[in-house]
Amino acid sequence: MDKQDLDDVYGAKTPEESRAIYDNWSTGYDADCLSQGFRLPGLGAALLGRYLGETDAPVLDACCGTGLVGETLRLMGYGRVVGCDLSPDMLKFADRTGAYEQLEVADTGVGLPFDDDAFAGFVCVGAFGPGHAPPVTLEHLARVTRPGGIGVFNLLDATYEEQGFPPVLDKLAASGAWEVIYTTPSFRPFLLAEPELLSTGYVVRVR
């Protein structure tokens, strides 16, 4: 499957279905998304760079896919990037970028195969639509990020509530796990497609 409609991607009911879709899409993912003006990788890397700064710090690119975020971070001078994704075939393409010092297969809804406080920051963009990573992923990301670390992620405006993100965000804030330090204006993840699809970006500081 070289071209995949977003409705099919968002329609996955289980992690296994999502993995199969992305494995099949891996060969055409970059061409399909970039030809539609996919802006999340650049935005995610830019927000991390603005708030984290230190390029020698270990950074996690969660749900890294083919490595578009990681490669951008490498070009920005980040040399210690670790990636994880549900799809082994997507990770093969991420590995080819040469941007990652480590790549792991991971179901973020179950957990992350990294130690507590392992990273100075994380980026997780394009991962939280329907059929994708569940809200509990945010708790796992907070766990592996050290106090003072920076996290960047985006959520879709239309499905933010029905997917169950508000209570998880409230829990993380109320428990002191992190604080939201910046939210972007609502924007289109794809400049040349899906005009009704809107998203908001979040920057958090882990405590």
Side-chain angles (χ1 to χ4, degrees):
M1 186 189 310
D2 292 325
K3 188 167 180 62
Q4 185 71 49
D5 187 271
L6 281 178
D7 288 343
D8 293 334
V9 175
Y10 290 151
K13 303 299 183 184
T14 65
E16 290 72 25
E17 286 184 24
S18 184
R19 179 184 293 112
I21 289 171
Y22 276 104
D23 279 347
N24 289 334
W25 195 15
S26 61
T27 56
Y29 180 85
D30 287 358
D32 289 345
C33 289
L34 294 176
S35 68
Q36 295 176 359
F38 190 42
R39 67 200 305 196
L40 287 176
L43 178 61
L47 285 172
L48 185 74
R50 176 184 175 187
Y51 288 93
L52 179 61
E54 50 182 315
T55 56
D56 60 343
V59 171
L60 175 63
D61 179 9
C63 306
C64 65
T66 57
L68 293 173
V69 172
E71 187 169 21
T72 302
L73 288 171
R74 181 175 66 86
L75 293 173
M76 292 168 60
Y78 287 86
R80 300 183 61 196
V81 183
V82 172
C84 66
D85 197 87
L86 182 65
S87 164
D89 286 354
M90 297 286 271
L91 288 176
K92 292 176 184 177
F93 285 89
D95 189 42
R96 294 177 190 178
T97 68
Y100 298 90
E101 64 177 18
Q102 178 183 350
L103 289 165
E104 299 286 347
V105 176
D107 180 349
T108 62
V110 175
L112 292 170
F114 308 111
D115 293 336
D116 292 359
D117 304 336
F119 300 100
F122 72 81
V123 180
C124 188
V125 292
F128 292 123
H132 286 61
V136 71
T137 296
L138 296 176
E139 298 182 28
H140 300 315
L141 289 169
R143 177 187 67 78
V144 301
T145 306
R146 64 187 59 163
I150 296 296
V152 174
F153 58 94
N154 76 293
L155 301 175
L156 296 181
D157 294 359
T159 57
Y160 166 83
E161 292 190 7
E162 67 184 66
Q163 286 185 260
F165 281 99
V168 173
L169 289 173
D170 289 346
K171 175 184 176 182
L172 286 164
S175 69
W178 71 31
E179 62 176 326
V180 177
I181 58 175
Y182 179 68
T183 57
T184 71
S186 186
F187 65 92
R188 290 174 57 187
F190 295 92
L191 288 174
L192 305 176
E194 305 292 337
E196 303 304 318
L197 188 67
L198 298 175
S199 184
T200 297
Y202 296 78
V203 181
V204 299
R205 179 175 287 114
V206 174
R207 294 173 172 172

